[in-house]
Amino acid sequence: TGKLDITPDDPRWIGAWWGGFLLCGALLFFSSLPMFGFPQALGPRPERAGDSEQAMLPDRDCQRHKPSNGVLRHPLDGDSSTTTCFQQLRVIPKVTKHLLSNPVFTCIILAACMEIAVVAGFAAFLGKYLEQQFNLTTSSANQLLGMTAIPCACLGIFLGGLLVKKLSLSALGAIRMAMLVNLVSTACYVSFLFLGCDTGPVAGVTVPYGNNSTPTSSLDPYSPCNNNCECQTDSFTPVCGADGVTYLSACFAGCSSTNLSGCSCLTSVPPENATVVPGKCPSPGCEEAFLTFLCVMCVCSMIGAMAQTPSVIILIRTVSPELKSYALGVLFLLLRLLGFIPPPLIFGAGIDSTCLFWSTFCGEQGACALYDNVVYRYLYVSIAIALKSFAFILYTTTWQCLRKNYKRYIKNHEGGLSTSEFFASTLTLDNLGRDSVPQNQPHRTKFIYNLEDHEWCENMESVL
């Protein structure tokens, strides 16, 4: 590496991209170690030593026989634990259908997918966007994002949870908060349409060489002034000429010496001043636009993240306590499938469609070397605005459902967030009946929630 002639300011510079993965992996590993110290179920501390030992034993409810009336019986002779577990897995499609048939649950999950799609698509290419729009280097763009947008998003998640707790928001209040936050963050994204820089004049791509009368449709980076230079398009190393025009490289500018002077393609300036400097030519007012963009991005990240906690609160309040853990599993599954996979592909295809000049390597098309910044900005931001708008429509649908039939969709108490509401998602379908029975009533009948008779069990629970 000591023989390389490139620096971090060079567009070809990559750096130790794998370092972040190693650091995050180490932090996740060490932060997960304390999790092994928790008991199997979070509940009252057992008074006897035997109880504490029993609480740490593996759960064997899966080996018990659960009849359709929901009463726990001793296992019958010849029963197979494998068959019982298979029967439990068989009801998963029924439970999933039951959850997705709830319009509030479905709308909230889809809205969360749209919100995370903006993060997965817009934020994934934000570093590239800063490079193209504001002529930043790759390292500078990533450092600025790490120091501003990410901490602001973390602060937004914290503030969202704090507001829900302090205001003791009901489900209707939480959905109104999510709608308001979505509107404000969408307005921030709309402002991005006006914060950016133009591509500027690029010889042979956006303007002809020497400002001659060459038609725009027949622009070619190769010109008589650089035909003898055997210039290659496998990399993009832009230089700014003294004439205020950007060239794809010093070779395309016709420079004959290593000190970037004597460039024959700069015909509008005297020969002694025909020099170039590395980098694109600066655009007027671009620095001020970047500072404004950075400030708006911090506000947008913080406000947009405030909708995360209200969405999860509404989600766990619209399902029965016995299904909270499974409902959260469905949420994260759909977030991965709908929120993280398609959006980067959509954003990437949109960005590639704005390319002005593709690099070539051995006759094959490589990466895009130059974009139309105006079209890039409009298309890139418009996709994010469309996703945010779709999320707002889903929030509005949820609000309408709750406003018209509140008691139908809200399954548990309102008011402040209690400890039991947060930890209800840790209950499993197997140990629910066991954990809900007080220890001082060992002979009380244990009620097991049976997924196959969902509606019947709900009525029975209300009777009990």
Side-chain angles (χ1 to χ4, degrees):
T1 56
K3 298 180 180 180
L4 295 178
D5 58 349
I6 61 175
T7 64
D9 294 333
D10 194 291
R12 296 171 294 173
W13 182 272
I14 296 177
W17 57 268
W18 41 265
F21 290 96
L22 294 181
L23 177 62
C24 292
L27 292 176
L28 286 172
F29 174 78
F30 288 110
S31 62
S32 64
L33 293 180
M35 297 295 179
F36 290 97
F38 286 98
Q40 183 180 6
L42 294 175
R45 174 177 293 183
E47 298 178 357
R48 296 175 298 176
D51 295 338
S52 61
E53 294 177 0
Q54 184 66 25
M56 298 301 294
L57 292 176
D59 187 10
R60 291 185 173 85
D61 286 344
C62 188
Q63 301 177 359
R64 301 180 183 181
H65 180 74
K66 290 186 282 189
S68 60
N69 59 3
V71 180
L72 180 65
R73 296 179 181 176
H74 294 288
L76 301 176
D77 295 337
D79 282 353
S80 173
S81 60
T82 304
T83 304
T84 306
C85 291
F86 177 76
Q87 290 176 351
Q88 291 184 359
L89 294 176
R90 191 176 58 185
V91 301
I92 288 181
K94 298 181 181 179
V95 182
T96 306
K97 181 180 178 181
H98 169 73
L99 290 176
L100 296 180
S101 63
N102 185 341
V104 174
F105 179 84
T106 304
C107 288
I108 283 295
I109 281 190
L110 292 179
C113 290
M114 296 302 103
E115 295 281 5
I116 208 68
V118 177
V119 177
F122 188 87
F125 295 101
L126 189 55
K128 184 182 184 68
Y129 180 79
L130 295 180
E131 293 178 48
Q132 298 296 325
Q133 291 290 322
F134 305 104
N135 296 333
L136 298 179
T137 61
T138 304
S139 57
S140 300
N142 292 329
Q143 289 173 4
L144 289 172
L145 290 177
M147 292 186 298
T148 56
I150 296 177
C152 289
C154 297
L155 179 62
I157 296 175
F158 173 77
L159 291 178
L162 185 64
L163 286 176
V164 172
K165 179 178 177 62
K166 292 296 183 182
L167 300 178
S168 299
L169 294 179
S170 63
L172 272 175
I175 193 63
R176 291 192 190 102
M177 176 180 173
M179 293 170 63
L180 177 62
V181 165
N182 180 274
L183 279 178
V184 177
S185 62
T186 304
C188 294
Y189 278 97
V190 173
S191 66
F192 292 156
L193 294 172
F194 310 98
L195 298 175
C197 304
D198 297 334
T199 306
V202 180
V205 180
T206 61
V207 295
Y209 280 88
N211 293 326
N212 54 33
S213 58
T214 303
T216 306
S217 58
S218 60
L219 291 175
D220 190 354
Y222 293 97
S223 176
C225 63
N226 56 31
N227 277 340
N228 298 327
C229 300
E230 298 182 358
C231 301
Q232 303 296 325
T233 59
D234 56 348
S235 63
F236 180 56
T237 54
V239 293
C240 179
D243 55 356
V245 178
T246 300
Y247 296 85
L248 297 178
S249 67
C251 179
F252 281 99
C255 302
S256 57
S257 59
T258 56
N259 60 356
L260 304 181
S261 60
C263 303
S264 57
C265 292
L266 278 68
T267 57
S268 59
V269 296
E272 61 273 10
N273 295 333
T275 59
V276 297
V277 293
K280 296 180 181 179
C281 294
S283 301
C286 195
E287 184 176 354
E288 293 78 6
F290 169 69
L291 294 177
T292 306
F293 177 90
L294 200 60
C295 294
V296 177
M297 173 55 64
C298 291
V299 176
C300 185
S301 300
M302 183 180 65
I303 295 178
M306 292 175 64
Q308 181 171 340
T309 302
S311 299
V312 176
I313 293 302
I314 298 171
L315 178 71
I316 64 176
R317 285 182 178 176
T318 54
V319 297
S320 302
E322 297 82 2
L323 298 179
K324 286 182 179 180
S325 58
Y326 186 73
L328 291 176
V330 174
L331 168 65
F332 289 112
L333 174 64
L334 293 180
L335 285 181
R336 266 71 174 177
L337 292 178
L338 302 179
F340 281 101
I341 297 178
L345 301 178
I346 297 174
F347 275 89
I351 292 172
D352 286 343
S353 66
T354 65
C355 184
L356 292 175
F357 180 75
W358 292 89
S359 62
T360 57
F361 186 77
C362 295
E364 296 183 359
Q365 179 177 299
C368 182
L370 189 67
Y371 295 90
D372 187 336
N373 281 359
V374 177
V375 180
Y376 183 177
R377 180 171 67 250
Y378 288 161
L379 184 61
Y380 180 70
V381 177
S382 297
I383 295 176
I385 294 175
L387 293 173
K388 299 287 286 187
S389 301
F390 189 34
F392 179 78
I393 295 174
L394 293 169
Y395 284 138
T396 305
T397 305
T398 304
W399 175 69
Q400 289 288 346
C401 292
L402 292 178
R403 188 174 63 90
K404 292 181 179 179
N405 201 339
Y406 189 81
K407 294 183 179 181
R408 175 185 176 184
Y409 299 109
I410 301 303
K411 303 296 184 182
N412 55 342
H413 64 278
E414 292 289 1
L417 300 179
S418 62
T419 305
S420 62
E421 185 172 352
F422 275 117
F423 289 105
S425 60
T426 63
L427 299 176
T428 64
L429 299 177
D430 292 331
N431 61 16
L432 176 67
R434 182 190 60 191
D435 293 341
S436 62
V437 178
Q439 296 181 2
N440 57 0
Q441 300 180 11
H443 302 293
R444 182 177 178 180
T445 302
K446 297 181 180 180
F447 185 87
I448 302 299
Y449 190 86
N450 194 339
L451 295 177
E452 293 181 344
D453 301 321
H454 178 77
E455 298 297 335
W456 181 87
C457 285
E458 279 191 343
N459 297 332
M460 180 58 69
E461 281 184 328
S462 62
V463 172
L464 293 177

